Amino acid sequence: MKRLANYQCFTLFMSVLMLCVAVRSQLTADFYSKTCPTLPQIVRKVVQNAIKVEMRMAASLLRLHFHDCFVNGCDGSILLDGTDVEKFSVANINSARGFEVVDAIKSAVESQCSGVVSCADILALAARDSTLLSGGPSWKVLLGRRDGMVSSQAQANLSLPSPFEGLNAIIAKFAAVGLNITDVVSLSGSHTIGLAKCATFSNRLFNFSGTGAPDSTLDSNMLSDLQSLCPVNGDGNKTTAFDRNSTDLFDNHYFQNLINNKGLLGSDQILYSSSEAVSTTKSIVESYSSNSKLFFNDFANSMIKMGNISPLTGSSGEIRKNCRVVNS
Ligand code: HEM
Ligand SMILES: *[C@@H]1O[C@H](CO)[C@@H](O)[C@H](O)[C@H]1NC(C)=O
Ligand SMILES: *[C@@H]1O[C@H](CO)[C@@H](O)[C@H](O)[C@H]1NC(C)=O
Ligand SMILES: *[C@@H]1O[C@H](CO)[C@@H](O)[C@H](O)[C@H]1NC(C)=O
Ligand SMILES: *[C@@H]1O[C@H](CO)[C@@H](O)[C@H](O)[C@H]1NC(C)=O
Ligand SMILES: *[C@@H]1O[C@H](CO)[C@@H](O)[C@H](O)[C@H]1NC(C)=O
């Protein structure tokens, strides 16, 4: 009898302890309200200036947060310099950009509140501001992430989705980080802003999957435009807009484009046109194409979910002084 009581007491103790740990490890919107009250304004200002210089920077900063979160969680690991690091993985090399802007945000933040704000949180705030300043939705960014000590190119190669993958493979990569089919579609709506290189979609233009013909789910006018922009053996680094009608505006045209066979990447168009899409993503694309409010609302929720992928909290990780290097 006595033993059982002790055991129950121990169980209760452990439950309370685990509850405390669970609560402690949650991100919160007001995490820096005492230690860096002006943080949101500092980040907003630097992002605003960067976008004034180059509107595409909004897209580039949004993508950095995504690529950070999908590899070992949202821990700033994409920012680390080195040799076998994430920024040189397949999806990022000669492609991920905005690192100088993140440095500028970090130094502005350090000058106001030194040593308290993580680089991972800066990416989350910059992604929200980039979306909002492009005309998209806003949301309360949850904060309190700490910075990781490692950056794994091998993990980035495995975790980040490729434009050449099938829909089931992409859905699986999202599921691996706790994101579902709604998140796949809403977050892909990010491709309403920004640019992509010929090398990321030229597989669709001449001999798609060894068929000897272009991808039949690509609109014929858009096909001929893209064929002249990206000829066989042309410059794979040449870029074009995802959303040709409103390149810099965050809107729901991305989904309208998919319905008109005007998706740019293979991984975009399959959300609507593939056989796997029929029972998964197609109906969500249709909903967003006709309901911009629904898209904005779901996008904001999915960004918060993505920002919650395996954060380091409490005393895990560190607050980096320089986003490019682990503190010594
Ligand atoms: C669903 C799987 C996805 C694939 C396969 C994919 C792939 C790509 C590729 C190949 C590019 C062009 C990169 C280049 O040419 O340099 C790109 C750009 C971009 N991606 Fe994605 N992406 C996906 C999902 C996402 C998500 C979830 C987000 C954000 C939450 C996102 C945000 C962006 C943005 C904003 C750009 C433009 C970047 C710029 O102009 O600098 N993408 N993506
Ligand atoms: C990542 O992928 C690229 C391209 O396939 C390859 O060259 C590189 O060695 C890979 N890196 C690691 C660490 O696996
Ligand atoms: C995806 O998850 C969200 C909650 O995070 C939920 O509202 C939504 O219904 C889910 N979608 C699917 C297709 O299960
Ligand atoms: C298309 O690619 C396939 C496989 O790579 C190849 O066998 C075929 O000859 C190519 N067709 C044309 C028309 O180039
Ligand atoms: C793009 O440019 C980089 C650096 O100039 C080069 O290393 C790379 O091979 C080019 N990529 C393509 C697809 O042409
Ligand atoms: C852009 O707008 C025009 C006219 O409204 C429309 O016909 C076209 O399908 C839209 N999309 C693209 C990618 O051009």
PDB file of all heavy atoms in Angstrom, residues 84 89-90 153-154 157, ligand 2:
ATOM      1  N   ASP A  84      31.008  22.035 -45.005  1.00  0.00           N
ATOM      2  CA  ASP A  84      29.883  21.128 -45.274  1.00  0.00           C
ATOM      3  C   ASP A  84      28.589  21.638 -44.652  1.00  0.00           C
ATOM      4  O   ASP A  84      27.886  20.904 -43.969  1.00  0.00           O
ATOM      5  CB  ASP A  84      30.215  19.722 -44.747  1.00  0.00           C
ATOM      6  CG  ASP A  84      30.840  18.857 -45.835  1.00  0.00           C
ATOM      7  OD1 ASP A  84      30.945  19.355 -46.981  1.00  0.00           O
ATOM      8  OD2 ASP A  84      31.214  17.708 -45.551  1.00  0.00           O
ATOM      9  N   SER A  89      24.173  23.236 -49.587  1.00  0.00           N
ATOM     10  CA  SER A  89      23.450  22.018 -49.973  1.00  0.00           C
ATOM     11  C   SER A  89      22.796  22.234 -51.341  1.00  0.00           C
ATOM     12  O   SER A  89      22.739  23.362 -51.834  1.00  0.00           O
ATOM     13  CB  SER A  89      22.386  21.689 -48.931  1.00  0.00           C
ATOM     14  OG  SER A  89      21.407  22.710 -48.910  1.00  0.00           O
ATOM     15  N   VAL A  90      22.320  21.143 -51.943  1.00  0.00           N
ATOM     16  CA  VAL A  90      21.735  21.197 -53.289  1.00  0.00           C
ATOM     17  C   VAL A  90      20.724  22.337 -53.449  1.00  0.00           C
ATOM     18  O   VAL A  90      20.764  23.094 -54.409  1.00  0.00           O
ATOM     19  CB  VAL A  90      20.980  19.888 -53.626  1.00  0.00           C
ATOM     20  CG1 VAL A  90      20.459  19.913 -55.044  1.00  0.00           C
ATOM     21  CG2 VAL A  90      21.850  18.702 -53.414  1.00  0.00           C
ATOM     22  N   GLN A 153      24.965  19.781 -44.028  1.00  0.00           N
ATOM     23  CA  GLN A 153      24.669  19.757 -45.465  1.00  0.00           C
ATOM     24  C   GLN A 153      23.985  18.450 -45.855  1.00  0.00           C
ATOM     25  O   GLN A 153      23.069  18.444 -46.663  1.00  0.00           O
ATOM     26  CB  GLN A 153      25.967  19.923 -46.268  1.00  0.00           C
ATOM     27  CG  GLN A 153      25.734  19.932 -47.748  1.00  0.00           C
ATOM     28  CD  GLN A 153      27.007  20.174 -48.536  1.00  0.00           C
ATOM     29  OE1 GLN A 153      27.338  19.408 -49.424  1.00  0.00           O
ATOM     30  NE2 GLN A 153      27.716  21.226 -48.198  1.00  0.00           N
ATOM     31  N   ALA A 154      24.428  17.348 -45.227  1.00  0.00           N
ATOM     32  CA  ALA A 154      23.832  16.047 -45.533  1.00  0.00           C
ATOM     33  C   ALA A 154      22.347  16.061 -45.176  1.00  0.00           C
ATOM     34  O   ALA A 154      21.494  15.594 -45.937  1.00  0.00           O
ATOM     35  CB  ALA A 154      24.556  14.943 -44.766  1.00  0.00           C
ATOM     36  N   ASN A 157      20.401  18.191 -47.645  1.00  0.00           N
ATOM     37  CA  ASN A 157      20.196  17.437 -48.894  1.00  0.00           C
ATOM     38  C   ASN A 157      18.995  16.495 -48.772  1.00  0.00           C
ATOM     39  O   ASN A 157      18.255  16.308 -49.725  1.00  0.00           O
ATOM     40  CB  ASN A 157      21.437  16.597 -49.223  1.00  0.00           C
ATOM     41  CG  ASN A 157      22.518  17.399 -49.953  1.00  0.00           C
ATOM     42  OD1 ASN A 157      22.327  18.573 -50.279  1.00  0.00           O
ATOM     43  ND2 ASN A 157      23.658  16.752 -50.193  1.00  0.00           N
TER      44      ASN A 157
HETATM   45  C1  LIG B   2      24.707  17.233 -51.051  1.00  0.00           C
HETATM   46  O1  LIG B   2      24.298  17.057 -52.388  1.00  0.00           O
HETATM   47  C2  LIG B   2      25.254  17.539 -53.350  1.00  0.00           C
HETATM   48  C3  LIG B   2      24.646  17.409 -54.733  1.00  0.00           C
HETATM   49  O2  LIG B   2      24.059  16.168 -54.912  1.00  0.00           O
HETATM   50  C4  LIG B   2      26.537  16.730 -53.230  1.00  0.00           C
HETATM   51  O3  LIG B   2      27.490  17.230 -54.138  1.00  0.00           O
HETATM   52  C5  LIG B   2      27.054  16.883 -51.817  1.00  0.00           C
HETATM   53  O4  LIG B   2      28.191  16.082 -51.650  1.00  0.00           O
HETATM   54  C6  LIG B   2      25.994  16.458 -50.818  1.00  0.00           C
HETATM   55  N1  LIG B   2      26.525  16.723 -49.487  1.00  0.00           N
HETATM   56  C7  LIG B   2      26.515  15.825 -48.505  1.00  0.00           C
HETATM   57  C8  LIG B   2      27.213  16.217 -47.269  1.00  0.00           C
HETATM   58  O5  LIG B   2      25.957  14.761 -48.601  1.00  0.00           O
END
